[in-house]
Amino acid sequence: GAVVSQHPSWVICKSGTSVKIECRSLDFQATTMFWYRQFPKQSLMLMATSNEGSKATYEQGVEKDKFLINHASLTLSTLTVTSAHPEDSSFYICSARDENYGYTFGSGTRLTVV
Amino acid sequence: RKEVEQDPGPFNVPEGATVAFNCTYSNSASQSFFWYRQDCRKEPKLLMSVYSSGNEDGRFTAQLNRASQYISLLIRDSKLSDSATYLCVVNDVDMGYALNFGKGTSLLVTP
């Protein structure tokens, strides 16, 4: 089946620094990658949809200059949290959709900003 | 964004019990429906898709009522390993192919 590899699994960073999260589709081409975040006891909330070779589409309330998304190839999408603050601490997870395999999720990244 | 509502629980049931989860969605144009399972600090995993005709997968039965915008999941003969959070998920046309998640219903199966 389809696999999406997400790294890192967890990261602790200082306020004001930037963190990059990578999602790679290992055995299929992910034209579209979805980025979600999940706060404790909350649902997964869609942050943005990225399409290979074009600008990401951000959901209302998500700052595109703070959460930089790059989808430069069919197998790699990255989310960079810039100038991270404690309120950005959350579980970030990517998902790719493939016509054959449906939706495949990365294993998630737990970000803690101190 | 249109809402997907679930009873948050928690549902505490003994092994062998039957438990039912309910979900309602607000967007009548929603196209696809799913139940996902999420274990603590893990990514969600697809449990089953949900169809208007109803579908069953072993101990799990899912139902969809489009007129009422209501989705259900029935788990029979609960196992300890069924303990998890169950997410009701809808694919809305206005979200493209992105999935719209409910907050989840927590299930704890006890010995």
Side-chain angles (χ1 to χ4, degrees), chain B residues 40-99:
Chain B
C40 188
R41 297 176 177 265
K42 299 283 189 180
E43 75 275 22
K45 294 189 185 297
L46 178 65
L47 184 63
M48 57 199 306
S49 300
V50 189
Y51 306 107
S52 296
S53 55
N55 47 302
E56 186 174 310
D57 183 2
R59 298 181 294 109
F60 300 85
T61 301
Q63 294 277 356
L64 166 65
N65 185 321
R66 283 187 181 270
S68 304
Q69 296 178 203
Y70 170 89
I71 307 165
S72 67
L73 175 68
L74 185 75
I75 304 176
R76 291 180 299 277
D77 189 23
S78 299
K79 311 291 185 190
L80 297 178
S81 57
D82 293 334
S83 298
T85 297
Y86 290 82
L87 306 171
C88 179
V89 184
V90 171
N91 172 226
D92 292 340
V93 173
D94 53 5
M95 287 178 66
Y97 286 108
L99 297 177

Side-chain angles (χ1 to χ4, degrees), chain A residues 22-54:
Chain A
E22 290 190 352
C23 278
R24 293 180 183 274
S25 55
L26 298 186
D27 45 9
F28 67 101
Q29 293 183 331
T31 308
T32 302
M33 191 75 79
F34 305 105
W35 286 94
Y36 296 86
R37 64 181 167 185
Q38 185 179 32
F39 293 106
K41 299 192 183 301
Q42 299 295 315
S43 62
L44 278 77
M45 297 293 291
L46 180 69
M47 298 176 68
T49 300
S50 76
N51 294 293
E52 185 267 336
S54 62

Side-chain angles (χ1 to χ4, degrees), chain A residues 37-83:
Chain A
R37 64 181 167 185
Q38 185 179 32
F39 293 106
K41 299 192 183 301
Q42 299 295 315
S43 62
L44 278 77
M45 297 293 291
L46 180 69
M47 298 176 68
T49 300
S50 76
N51 294 293
E52 185 267 336
S54 62
K55 289 183 179 180
T57 302
Y58 289 81
E59 294 297 297
Q60 192 172 12
V62 178
E63 301 173 56
K64 61 179 172 61
D65 295 328
K66 180 173 178 62
F67 298 98
L68 302 179
I69 291 174
N70 185 285
H71 194 160
S73 78
L74 287 171
T75 58
L76 175 63
S77 179
T78 62
L79 167 67
T80 301
V81 183
T82 62
S83 187

